[in-house]
């Protein structure tokens, strides 16, 4: 039961060339995976989202807290994606058994003594306008987190989501694949501003791109990238020449072998020119800000989408045959191993 298409656009419906070739898929990595944007889960709403071949049911209590649970009712197995939230209880649609915020069954639909059969809850984290669920291959509890964004400006965030083929690791790996920024994304020149720093489940890399555009001439884009596991990447993009600052959170989620949902959330801030005096200046700059905000978001999504046809059709190449000009992909892959079960060798 996948209800994922209600929010996004499916890029790949049928088998891809990699599927047809029987290319082995990477397993779903352990850690936090984004399953929704915050605004999709209003108080009282219930959502079903796929994660690693299974459904996860998300719901928001009247208090605003979110719960993530395995989908089947412990009574007789109804799918709880069809349940309703009443106050802080989740009520199954089949026999009206109700489950409290801690997952315990608090009443039955017949006003009899509730059985001791709680919901199976999963760790959930709501941060930066996204809802993440924890899943670990050996059942370990969360031992790292995704920090809150620093604030930039006051404009509301913009979000987009897609569903496509591919491995989530390769989305995060993209940030150290220096070569493709010129070949696929068209940057005139890209360089890494120092070694990639790995710290347990996170990493940091600084990048600088040299760009040029009609009317604007040459300009520099500085990018600070922070990765948290293989499900969340935060890029802080700064173009001093244009007075533009953008934070992008990229969140790939493994939903099945070689299939992912891909969410992106952007916040934008820019110096708003105000040469006109008084209220007119404010009105003009508000309108300009809205237009610019939309244009920057669209171009950010186009930048992201340049990778989609590649991910949608490729297979995972291990070992890769690297060449001078590639980014530090080898160390990244060694770091990424921690998110998978140990390999038999
Ligand atoms: S299956 Fe959920 S109450 Fe019976
Ligand atoms: Fe890319």
């Amino acid at each position: 039961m996948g209800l994922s298409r209600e929010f996004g656009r499916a890029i790949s419906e049928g088998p891809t060339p990699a599927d047809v070739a029987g290319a082995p898929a990477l397993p779903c990595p352990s850690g936090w995976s984004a399953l929704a944007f915050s605004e999709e889960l209003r108080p009282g709403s219930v959502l079903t989202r796929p994660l690693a071949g299974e459904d996860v049911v998300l719901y928001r209590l009247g208090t605003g807290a979110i719960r993530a649970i395995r989908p089947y009712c412990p009574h007789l197995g109804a799918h709880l994606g069809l349940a309703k939230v009443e106050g802080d209880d989740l009520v199954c649609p089949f026999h009206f058994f109700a489950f409290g915020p801690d997952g315990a069954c608090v009443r039955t639909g017949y006003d009899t003594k509730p059985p001791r059969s709680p919901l199976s809850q999963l760790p959930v984290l709501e941060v930066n306008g996204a809802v993440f669920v924890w899943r670990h291959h050996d059942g370990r509890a969360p031992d790292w987190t995704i920090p809150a964004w620093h604030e930039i400006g006051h404009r509301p965030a913009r979000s987009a989501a897609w569903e496509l083929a591919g491995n989530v690791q390769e989305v995060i790996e993209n940030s150290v694949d220096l070569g493709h920024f010129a070949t696929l994304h068209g940057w005139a020149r890209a360089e890494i501003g120092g070694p990639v720093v790995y710290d347990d489940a996170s990493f940091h890399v600084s990048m600088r791109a040299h760009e040029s555009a009609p009317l604007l001439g040459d300009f520099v884009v500085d990018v600070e990238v922070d990765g948290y596991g293989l499900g969340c990447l935060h890029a802080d993009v700064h173009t001093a020449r244009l007075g533009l600052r953008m934070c992008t959170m990229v969140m790939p989620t493994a939903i099945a072998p070689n299939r992912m949902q891909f969410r992106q959330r952007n916040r934008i801030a820019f110096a708003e020119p105000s040469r006109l005096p008084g209220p007119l200046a404010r009105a003009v700059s508000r309108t300009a800000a809205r237009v610019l905000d939309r244009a920057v978001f669209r171009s950010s999504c186009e930048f992201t989408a340049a990778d989609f046809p590649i991910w949608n059709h490729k297979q995972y190449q291990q070992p890769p045959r690297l060449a001078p000009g590639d980014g530090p992909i080898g160390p990244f892959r060694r770091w990424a191993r921690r998110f998978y079960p140990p390999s038999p060798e």
Side-chain angles (χ1 to χ4, degrees):
M1 182 180 184
L3 304 181
S4 56
R5 285 189 181 75
E6 72 202 36
F7 75 95
R9 189 158 65 90
I11 312 284
S12 172
E13 293 284 359
T16 68
D19 295 331
V20 172
L26 286 170
C28 171
S30 298
W32 294 106
S33 298
L35 296 192
F37 295 116
S38 290
E39 59 270 23
E40 294 178 284
L41 265 178
R42 307 246 172 246
S45 57
V46 181
L47 286 179
T48 303
R49 290 289 152 84
L51 174 64
E54 295 174 353
D55 280 350
V56 173
V57 173
L58 300 169
Y59 62 100
R60 196 186 289 275
L61 312 177
T63 58
I66 294 182
R67 294 291 181 271
I69 54 170
R70 295 196 187 281
Y72 298 108
C73 179
H75 178 221
L76 280 168
H79 197 293
L80 293 168
L82 303 172
K84 289 203 168 20
V85 178
E86 291 179 6
D88 281 341
D89 297 337
L90 187 74
V91 182
C92 177
F94 200 1
H95 311 90
F96 295 177
F97 283 30
F99 300 88
D102 63 353
C105 186
V106 292
R107 64 179 181 276
T108 70
Y110 338 114
D111 283 331
T112 50
K113 187 169 182 278
R116 234 182 269 152
S117 52
L119 298 175
S120 176
Q121 293 184 327
L122 300 164
V124 64
L125 169 70
E126 183 173 29
V127 64
N128 305 330
V131 180
F132 295 86
V133 168
W134 175 270
R135 179 196 157 280
H136 200 282
H137 60 262
D138 63 12
R140 190 184 309 170
D143 50 8
W144 53 273
T145 192
I146 297 169
W149 270 341
H150 55 273
E151 286 300 320
I152 63 155
H154 302 288
R155 305 197 60 76
R158 290 178 181 263
S159 304
W162 301 267
E163 191 166 307
L164 61 159
N167 293 304
V168 299
Q169 180 187 311
E170 295 193 279
V171 175
I172 307 299
E173 184 176 293
N174 224 243
S175 61
V176 297
D177 181 345
L178 195 58
H180 95 295
F181 287 113
T183 53
L184 187 70
H185 294 290
W187 285 4
R189 189 156 57 87
E191 59 208 34
I192 286 188
V196 183
V197 178
Y198 294 96
D199 180 13
D200 191 20
S202 65
F203 70 92
H204 178 85
V205 58
S206 300
M207 304 210 338
R208 171 164 278 192
H210 300 265
E211 286 261 55
S212 69
L215 304 177
L216 297 173
D218 296 342
F219 58 95
V220 164
V221 183
D222 287 302
V223 189
E224 299 294 328
V225 176
D226 289 283
Y228 303 97
L230 297 180
C232 181
L233 191 92
H234 180 211
D236 193 341
V237 181
H238 188 208
T239 311
R241 168 95 195 282
L242 309 183
L244 179 67
R245 192 170 195 120
M246 180 179 74
C247 283
T248 303
M249 195 158 70
V250 166
M251 297 162 281
T253 294
I255 58 171
N258 202 35
R259 288 291 182 283
M260 58 183 167
Q261 286 181 349
F262 185 101
R263 293 174 176 81
Q264 178 170 325
R265 191 164 178 91
N266 287 40
R267 290 175 317 146
I268 292 158
F270 37 83
E272 295 177 10
S274 55
R275 294 221 178 112
L276 300 169
L280 184 58
R282 282 195 291 278
V284 169
S285 80
R286 261 204 307 275
T287 308
R290 250 199 321 274
V291 171
L292 190 55
D293 189 332
R294 200 176 309 129
V296 171
F297 182 61
R298 190 176 314 124
S299 100
S300 167
C301 288
E302 282 166 7
F303 184 94
T304 303
D307 287 290
F308 287 176
I310 304 293
W311 293 331
N312 219 7
H313 292 92
K314 80 189 295 299
Q315 63 178 37
Y316 184 66
Q317 184 73 22
Q318 181 63 23
R321 307 292 179 204
L322 299 175
D326 282 321
I329 289 172
F332 175 88
R333 288 200 173 180
R334 283 195 287 283
W335 169 79
R337 274 192 218 145
R338 73 189 55 220
F339 301 104
Y340 300 106
S343 60
E345 71 272 20

